[in-house]
Amino acid sequence: MAPPEPPSDPRTPLIALRPVLNVLGFLYVGLATAMLIPAIVDVVAKNADWQAFVFSALLTGLIGMLLSIAVGGSLSKGLDTRQTFILTTLAWATLPAFGALPFLWLGIGYADAVFEAVSGFTTTGSTVLSGLDSLPPGLLVWRSIMQWMGGVGIIVMAIVLLPFLRIGGMQLFQSESSDRSEKIVSRSVELIRLLGLAYLFLTVLCIVAYLATGLDLFDAFNHALTTIATGGYSTHDQSFGYFTNPASGWVAVVFMIIGSLPFVLIIQALRGQPMLLWRDPQVRSLVGFLAIVSLALTIYLGIEMRFPFDEALLKATFNVISVVTGTGYALGDYTQWGPPVVGLALLLKFVGGCTGSTTGGIKIFRFLVFFGTVRAHLRRMVRPHRIMSEEYGGTRLTPELSFSVLAFLVVYLGSVGVITLALSLFDLDLVTAVSAAATSVGNVGPGLGPIIGPAGNFAPLPDGAKWLLSFAMLLGRLELFTVLVLLDPDFWSR
């Protein structure tokens, strides 16, 4: 007979947080290192604002090192499910808090600074800043770097963490070689390395392409970082309307699409297997959807707005792709093109790119799973005794997977509704409230209407609304359930 297990020590924490805090410490040190880049830019430009970034880097790096030293320990065993939920949420919640330090140093209000940093790291692209053309170069570079780092984090989260956590149907993309136990395996490190190299390569390629269209090095660098990240921060108030060469817009179109594709398949394409991209159902669906909507809007602009065909094609394609990929760049104020375009823009804010990309919104694969589930249900209504199984890319859609996707869609739309209602308490009009909620949860960028539309920004909103929208951006970026599960008391029980 086996001896009874010794009673647990009541002083033992329910969840071991030392490994989580250790990783956070390393992340803060990495963030501090990144802050030195805009400091160098300001030094070269002979701008005294370099001190803001050096001070912020020292404070962030010191906290990170002290945290890692205080809780230091080995991570060879990896993190379990609950630790991963906590780490993911804490990382996305606290990194923007440190990222906001340079804005505070430069005199930007606390609510505005946090809003700008959250929007940057989540690659939302909503901004409270105006007069971008005259802002210090280091500050503009820092905004771009936040989005670029956020884009890397989004890819890693979508490919390594979310399938493991089985959120919103993401288990569909769990690698066959992934560990099926309760630990995240070390081989993920190799995947992260490949993702980082591919991300960096595409960024450099985008810089070169922008330079070839006539952008100077500063604009090319900043816009390449925010294009690949599908973030949308620009160095000009007019966004891409500032650039007169149409080729610059088409370069943005190409790389926004690349940023919305699964990066695992991009890696395989770079290794000589480009057809794997096209074989993915969500890639074909996304490209087809973008082509149809862009063509329809091109025809509309040609007939209703009397735009020449080449101008209509560029503006339609650019803005459709910018909204769907959640980039948030603007080429003209599309809210001035008539109510049908405004309605279309609102609907497109709910559509995202592919899983494993930098985009936000409701990923294309979730729509495919949803439509497949609905189709199967309709067929069973006609033939109740017929056994039917829907598939996605050769994988059978199990009831668990279908329920996971449907639950995500319900919670997603419910979150937009609740946030819209909360925003209305700040006396915002319906268009502003609905579009602000949709664009924040979907990490899209500009909203609709005269205040937060493509020609405006979020600065006029009350501070309370900015805090709420900052939370909404984090909620959307963390795929909703990563945050909501922490509110369940059962999560914290032994």
Side-chain angles (χ1 to χ4, degrees), residues 317-335:
T317 305
F318 184 99
N319 287 297
V320 166
I321 291 175
S322 179
V323 174
V324 171
T325 61
T327 307
Y329 287 142
L331 187 58
D333 185 358
Y334 49 79
T335 61

Side-chain angles (χ1 to χ4, degrees), residues 66-108:
L66 291 176
L67 188 60
S68 290
I69 292 172
V71 301
S74 174
L75 292 176
S76 58
K77 295 183 179 180
L79 301 172
D80 63 27
T81 305
R82 293 193 295 174
Q83 289 171 328
T84 306
F85 273 114
I86 295 172
L87 172 62
T88 305
T89 303
L90 284 180
W92 285 98
T94 58
L95 287 174
F98 287 104
L101 292 177
F103 297 103
L104 293 173
W105 179 278
L106 296 173
I108 298 172

Side-chain angles (χ1 to χ4, degrees), residues 127 199 252 292 322 445 474:
T127 184
Y199 193 72
I292 292 171
S322 179
L474 289 172

Side-chain angles (χ1 to χ4, degrees), residues 227-276:
T227 302
I228 288 298
T230 59
Y233 274 161
S234 178
T235 55
H236 304 284
D237 285 329
Q238 291 181 273
S239 191
F240 261 78
Y242 177 85
F243 306 115
T244 56
N245 188 353
S248 301
W250 286 114
V251 168
V253 164
V254 171
F255 282 94
M256 282 191 289
I257 293 176
I258 291 175
S260 69
L261 300 178
F263 263 72
V264 167
L265 296 182
I266 289 177
I267 292 173
Q268 293 175 309
L270 292 174
R271 286 181 156 187
Q273 296 177 290
M275 288 308 298
L276 289 179

Side-chain angles (χ1 to χ4, degrees), residues 361-378:
I362 302 174
K363 302 294 191 295
I364 286 292
F365 92 89
R366 290 188 173 115
F367 282 109
L368 296 178
V369 172
F370 172 73
F371 291 138
T373 302
V374 171
R375 182 170 56 245
H377 179 70
L378 292 175

